[in-house]
Amino acid sequence: MKNNSSLIKYDYLRRLNVTCDLLRVALSSGAQTLPELVANWPQIKAELIKEHDEEYVQHLFELVFPEVAEALLNPKHLQPTIKFAIALKKYVLDLGKYLDEGKPVVYNWPTFTPEVWYAMGVVPVFPFEAFAGLLSGLYTDGLEAENDEAEKQGFAFHICSFTKGPIKAIEVGKLPKPDLIIKNSSPCDSSNLNYQYAAYVNKCPLLILDSPYYTNQRALKYYVQNVREMLEEGQKITGMKLDVDKLRYHCEISNRQMKYMYGLQRLRKEVPCPDPGMMRFLDFGTLVLCGHSDLVPAYLEQRYKEVKERHERGETFLPPGKKEIRTLWSWGWVANMFYLPHWLEETFGSTYMECQLSYLPEDITGFVDTTNLDTMLEGLARRSMNFVMHRTAMSYSDIWVNDFVTIARSHKVDVAIFGGNRACKHAWTLCKILSDALQEQLGIPTLVWEHDVCDKRFMPHSKIKELLTEFFTTVAQ
Amino acid sequence: MILGCDIGTALTKGVILAEGEYIFGTSVLTRANAERAFEDLLEAIRRERGFKLDDFKEVVITGWGEGRIRLPHRSEPTMKCIAQAAIWDLPSCRFALCLGAQQSSALILNDRGKVLDYRINDKCAAGAGRFLDIIFEALETTPEESADIARSADKKIAMSSQCAVFAESEVVSLVNDGESVANILEAIFRSLVSGVVALSKRLPIRGEIIVGGGLANNLRIVELLEEGLGKKVKVFRLGPSFIAAMGAALSVNGGVR
Amino acid sequence: MQTASLKVAKQASPLEELLNLPLRSNNPYIQEWKAKGNKVIGYVCSYTPEELIYAIPGVGGTRIMPVRIGGVGCTHTEEADTLMYRYICTFTRSTLQLALDGEYNYLDGVVFNSCCEHMRRSYEFWRDLVRPKIITMVSVPRTCHSETEFRWYHEECINMMEEIGKVWGLNPLPDQLLNAVKTYNRYRQLMMEVYRLRALKKPKLTGSEAFKIMQAGFNLPKDLFNEKLEMALEELKARPGITDYRARVLLAGSYTDDPSLVDTIESTGALVVSDSLCTGRKFVDNLVDESSSDLVEAVARRYFSRITCPRMMEDPEERINFVKKLAKEAEVDGIIFQHITFCDIHNIENIIESEAIARAGIPTLKLEREYNAADTGRLKTRVQAFLEKIGK
């Protein structure tokens, strides 16, 4: 690859690119434990340096959280993760080629899925939030440097690290400068102002998809209109035109993704839960790449197949003798501690029910009707309004509370953990309402604790383990 | 005999039970070294009562430093210990508070001493004992004197109760403005108790309340707590610092009842 | 509009009255207003179309008066802290606390906006715990340059009127709407006059006084306020003007209605001669088009398209230029950008605006504070250091 290629020039993209191959090759090496992986490393590296620089690859390998490597080698995670890496790699190569052709650089907030952009021939850059999650989850250096840069400039410590670090990454040349940024007006002020700052500092247009405050027909109509206007502007700004057949093609792919997502959600209700929680983060990754290529539903199909078979065989991935503690993550996954769900499963038999970064209400969202442009835009809008981190944030807290109390009942939840991102203010306002409802209506206790979703320094992993150990050895018995 | 031990960030506490009866309790400074603190505790017990490690059928350890003790022992989660000790002290207790050096916790328990739910405040320094130590030093007073001094306050000063960092610089300003130590102390105590009350009310407060943890040694804080909760509060009878250590000892044989 | 007769000190001049008006239900005018059967509706954000509330007639000649909900005088936020946790701005917690303490029991209803993350979530607690007779939401889009967005907001305004009106079967007639519009336009014009007097070389009033007048404006029926302000303006113009000030500053940033912040700044000798606050200059910017044949739409238009709060994800350039314009108008020596802890909107907006303005050569200071800040010592020190730095 030429040195001025986007996948070399921009460190975040370079790291993403190498990550895909690192995951795929390392997990395919036959190693089943961490020592075996380390023993296999020379062969793995030899494979990787066919495409990538040796020093870079070595350095990256040394940065991987050992706990993450160990967890991913576990059979319950192995095959899907390889498939995810393959799907992500195709996207990364598409992105690299797209950027190297000098095409418009577009950043798209993930709660409106990217099929429309693919249909325009645009490959949006991997969203800030996805970078923040992936980099802080896999690698020990995380985004601490960029977070600190932002804080030096005056961004408060509690401005959301999902966005705060990556927008600084643009300024220090680790990500390409945007030509266009698209944002939903939900979920929060933190992300909204981060995006405004990014658009201002990089002097590019910011298109807003206004998230309506209600969830009725009027709201849907309004939102669809927003989508149309956004597309009109987007096409003008990028000079790329939306092709309806291409849109249909990508929507059909994402419909297949949804089919498996919904299937997995249904299976999570079973006792014992057959769906390993660590994969939830990768599932989110597929939403970010919604409709990109057939490789994305292939990952979900693998996931679904394994989970379904496990359920049909009446098996569990929990260690033998571990009593299942069905756990509702009433906030969401902790990006910087990617392996946390696995640690909970192994240590306490705590299985991952749902969280607001995982849950897509199947019966309300359904599938995109691919008949024509109107039906597709409406379908995508409807999905977006009920999307993870959108449905629960854009309107009254009643929605989040009701969703989760209902899930707690239907999924036979034992306990709840509200590990809240300190930046997520609107979530904190309903923490008490939700945990009260769970206790009063279902006798479910909640462990309330704070973390910074993409910065492990605020609540170190050792402390998180302490807090969770206390909880699971106390109320969860 | 059973030794229950709570290795906290400030103090390491030990309680000895014989045939389920309380015999003795003592504490030593932890000084950031759990192993050494535990040794110091055993030494203090030996010096004061002549008991040696071998005399104990079981050693149960809880608290921050538990994981660092290499000597074989039983471990017990702190919340459970607090609940066990609370119900031992007062069978009608259904709500317990522990105000420690770095963390405040509130828990609800059932009539068998089982923890039903709990909330902690460990991220806000302004609610913890460590913060008070710094303030006492700045005001050149001691924990022991501070309760009486605070009671003599003649003016209510509003504190920026939100942040320890702001609060510290506020104290300096107030002193420079000639504000009395009594008024400042009272304001700090009120601010601290306000945080504990807010924490407590995140759970349903039913039945009797027991409070433990080092901060509860300060009777002014306890008074303000009662005022804030609108209910009487019982300070753990062995001395509030010993609540978790006692609970640890009680946990042997399945605990109380 | 009837002139209220006051039981309190009759010898107080209109200016003195406005500068010393008690808060909330201690306000004798509000007491009298309610005693006569009139109603009071509270609102939380400047995107509430007040005149549409004021236009709604009552029976027996009664009216509905909008008041802006504030948190001045709140000394603790314990219950609010319990409910909302600590990552919520103290303004939101203070207003909720006051409501839980019964301080807003005199309200007949409340209008919320989806203004910011903190305030919008206060709605659920007001609805379920404070339980005002009427509570309604005027949701506001996050952009304001598209007709689609405007239509939504316009519909929300109509809905607000209906929600309030339907409880008591009340609806405004066209001339009532026009009267309300005219009253509010007059209010804005008079307030602009206050800004003009603040910006003089020898300002006729301090920033603190201006804030008190602003507060009075939020808490009196506008007709009455206009009357008093007109007279107060004459009193102000008659003053010789302030000459012994150290520096002229503009105050920008988070919601501010607590005069104590301005007091702290002015205790250094500086004078707050202008502001770009949503309670201040942005509140009174832009008039409603009285000639419009659809006054409800005209009102909505004014609120929607005036100078934006940074919650509107529009190009910050317009807001930066607004501040520059005000700074030039009032010939300020520096700008203080304050934000309430946890106010993400102004934390980041202040970075954007202050960096741009510093590039334009105007000295800036960024301050973080609590609402109803008690740590005045720390704030005063920061302001003093700033003034010394800019050679004042």
Side-chain angles (χ1 to χ4, degrees), chain A residues 234-388:
Chain A
Q235 289 176 90
K236 252 195 278 191
I237 294 168
T238 58
M240 324 270 274
K241 207 159 174 329
L242 188 139
D243 180 320
V244 178
D245 290 320
K246 283 185 89 177
L247 183 62
R248 179 171 296 114
Y249 168 74
H250 290 290
C251 285
E252 277 165 2
I253 292 176
S254 63
N255 274 342
R256 267 185 286 138
Q257 283 178 240
M258 290 304 137
K259 186 178 82 176
Y260 295 119
M261 287 286 271
Y262 297 152
L264 284 165
Q265 281 178 179
R266 269 179 268 125
L267 285 167
R268 297 203 264 265
K269 278 169 86 163
E270 303 293 348
V271 179
C273 172
D275 187 2
M278 198 171 160
M279 297 291 95
R280 222 54 73 82
F281 179 62
L282 298 187
D283 291 352
F284 179 81
T286 62
L287 294 177
V288 157
L289 301 178
C290 222
H292 177 251
S293 80
D294 287 320
L295 295 172
V296 184
Y299 154 81
L300 285 165
E301 183 178 7
Q302 180 70 30
R303 285 262 291 124
Y304 179 71
K305 189 169 82 114
E306 288 185 8
V307 171
K308 187 154 202 296
E309 277 171 16
R310 184 176 293 121
H311 166 64
E312 280 165 356
R313 290 194 302 262
E315 284 171 10
T316 177
F317 50 74
L318 296 178
K322 273 267 185 274
K323 175 171 166 284
E324 186 189 14
I325 302 178
R326 298 169 71 79
T327 309
L328 181 70
W329 288 52
S330 45
W331 187 80
W333 35 257
V334 184
N336 78 62
M337 198 171 175
F338 184 16
Y339 62 94
L340 179 57
H342 173 68
W343 180 80
L344 283 173
E345 283 160 4
E346 294 291 293
T347 320
F348 301 113
S350 156
T351 51
Y352 196 131
M353 295 289 95
E354 294 294 346
C355 75
Q356 61 109 15
L357 297 172
S358 306
Y359 186 62
L360 269 166
E362 166 183 3
D363 300 322
I364 302 165
T365 312
F367 300 97
V368 172
D369 177 349
T370 55
T371 306
N372 57 47
L373 180 64
D374 287 338
T375 61
M376 283 191 278
L377 292 183
E378 182 172 318
L380 290 169
R382 183 190 303 276
R383 180 201 294 163
S384 172
M385 277 174 68
N386 293 288
F387 212 66
V388 308

Side-chain angles (χ1 to χ4, degrees), chain C residues 172-184:
Chain C
L173 294 166
D175 64 317
Q176 286 156 343
L177 271 169
L178 184 59
N179 279 338
V181 164
K182 285 186 164 161
T183 301
Y184 272 75

Side-chain angles (χ1 to χ4, degrees), chain B residues 108-139:
Chain B
I108 51 175
L109 54 150
N110 68 11
D111 58 354
R112 276 162 293 126
K114 179 178 191 299
V115 179
L116 298 173
D117 212 343
Y118 63 89
R119 297 285 180 269
I120 55 175
N121 180 359
D122 69 322
K123 273 301 173 187
C124 191
R130 268 283 185 275
F131 167 68
L132 269 193
D133 289 341
I134 297 168
I135 298 295
F136 288 151
E137 228 183 275
L139 293 173

Side-chain angles (χ1 to χ4, degrees), chain C residues 92-226:
Chain C
T92 299
R93 281 188 272 155
S94 297
T95 48
L96 177 60
Q97 185 64 50
L98 287 176
L100 292 169
D101 288 343
E103 287 282 320
Y104 279 109
N105 286 352
Y106 67 96
L107 297 178
D108 298 288
V110 182
V111 177
F112 265 81
N113 295 113
S114 59
C115 36
C116 72
E117 204 169 328
H118 309 260
M119 234 23 216
R120 72 172 177 111
R121 287 284 195 199
S122 199
Y123 172 93
E124 285 87 323
F125 296 111
W126 280 74
R127 179 193 64 191
D128 298 335
L129 298 176
V130 180
R131 290 203 272 259
K133 188 175 169 60
I134 302 173
I135 180 164
T136 184
M137 168 70 79
V138 173
S139 73
V140 186
R142 291 273 184 160
T143 55
C144 53
H145 284 139
S146 135
E147 265 311 288
T148 306
E149 262 68 17
F150 172 69
R151 288 282 141 239
W152 175 275
Y153 178 71
H154 181 202
E155 283 164 18
E156 292 289 282
C157 294
I158 295 172
N159 185 60
M160 177 199 75
M161 290 177 70
E162 290 181 354
E163 285 294 307
I164 295 172
K166 79 181 183 197
V167 180
W168 300 300
L170 310 168
N171 298 287
L173 294 166
D175 64 317
Q176 286 156 343
L177 271 169
L178 184 59
N179 279 338
V181 164
K182 285 186 164 161
T183 301
Y184 272 75
N185 273 350
R186 181 85 190 113
Y187 158 73
R188 292 172 189 121
Q189 284 162 337
L190 290 169
M191 288 300 289
M192 287 299 290
E193 189 57 19
V194 175
Y195 275 94
R196 198 185 64 76
L197 295 178
R198 286 172 74 182
L200 295 171
K201 272 228 163 30
K202 297 193 216 168
K204 297 293 187 181
L205 68 165
T206 63
S208 183
E209 290 177 317
F211 264 70
K212 297 201 174 95
I213 292 174
M214 165 192 92
Q215 273 281 31
F218 291 155
N219 289 286
L220 287 174
K222 288 296 189 290
D223 286 297
L224 180 62
F225 177 71
N226 289 352

